[in-house]
Amino acid sequence: MRSQLLAALLVILFGLLVWLYVREFQYLSNTIAVKSLVTGSVSVAAIVIGAGLWKWRDRFLPLDRHLPEVLLIVTFSLLFAPLFGSLINRGFGNNTHRSFEFVAETAFFASGYGILKGEKIKPTGWKLQVRDAGKTLQFKYKKQAFFPLSQPGDVILLPINKGLFGFEVVALK
């Protein structure tokens, strides 16, 4: 009975983590240098998990009997490391504004089921392209078009969450 309760709680925890991850994709896609954030999060998780497994290695011996447990711990730790890296970065950051060179703002339509015949298409979101130090960056948001009157080359001010680890997240929704 106790193991069934623990299993049910772990399934609920896993579902909650997946739900959090899905909600965090919006912020991950608007993070400047997201590759570095993901790589750093996975690297830190690998070091922590490696040290933890080394410290409690007696618990997992003989390895051939405990290999599924070890693989489960390693896989889920590495899989969810970017989620926790992004949450910690964003959660302990401060909000500022920063200027970028405007390139374009385009509407897009996304539908899980395609377009029905006769359906009027309206935008489900916008993509903003800006230039920063010669690099073109792209951000997505859904609420409204924020820069309909801006021309390419204009300087625009964007709300930024400067995170704890130094990664900046554009705070447009």
Side-chain angles (χ1 to χ4, degrees):
M1 179 67 179
R2 185 173 182 203
S3 62
Q4 291 173 340
L5 180 62
L6 180 62
L9 289 175
L10 287 174
V11 168
I12 291 170
L13 177 66
F14 179 72
L16 180 66
L17 284 174
V18 170
W19 177 76
L20 267 172
Y21 223 143
V22 169
R23 298 203 31 112
E24 195 67 19
F25 282 152
Q26 166 187 350
Y27 299 105
L28 280 169
S29 67
N30 286 346
T31 300
I32 299 172
V34 69
K35 289 179 186 177
S36 299
L37 175 65
V38 169
T39 304
S41 298
V42 169
S43 300
V44 168
I47 291 168
V48 169
I49 292 305
L53 289 174
W54 181 258
K55 180 173 173 57
W56 291 292
R57 66 185 175 274
D58 295 338
R59 159 70 178 90
F60 299 107
L61 291 177
L63 186 59
D64 58 338
R65 283 187 53 202
H66 296 283
L67 190 60
E69 296 168 30
V70 171
L71 290 177
L72 183 78
I73 291 169
V74 170
T75 301
F76 281 112
S77 298
L78 296 179
L79 184 66
F80 287 105
L83 168 66
F84 293 116
S86 179
L87 285 171
I88 293 169
N89 180 61
R90 219 171 29 88
F92 295 104
N94 57 354
N95 296 325
T96 61
H97 287 82
R98 194 166 139 216
S99 59
F100 293 90
E101 179 186 343
F102 179 82
V103 175
E105 181 180 47
T106 55
F108 69 89
F109 174 78
S111 172
Y113 304 107
I115 302 169
L116 300 174
K117 186 175 182 180
E119 178 182 10
K120 294 202 182 229
I121 299 173
K122 61 181 184 177
T124 56
W126 285 265
K127 291 180 184 178
L128 174 66
Q129 289 183 335
V130 296
R131 195 168 291 119
D132 181 41
K135 279 181 72 174
T136 302
L137 306 171
Q138 182 171 295
F139 308 112
K140 293 181 184 178
Y141 45 92
K142 295 190 178 215
K143 297 261 184 206
Q144 66 185 39
F146 286 103
F147 305 100
L149 302 177
S150 297
Q151 298 295 320
D154 289 351
V155 176
I156 59 173
L157 200 60
L158 294 177
I160 299 284
N161 182 329
K162 177 91 170 166
L164 177 69
F165 304 132
F167 296 99
E168 298 174 324
V169 181
V170 174
L172 294 174
K173 294 190 180 217

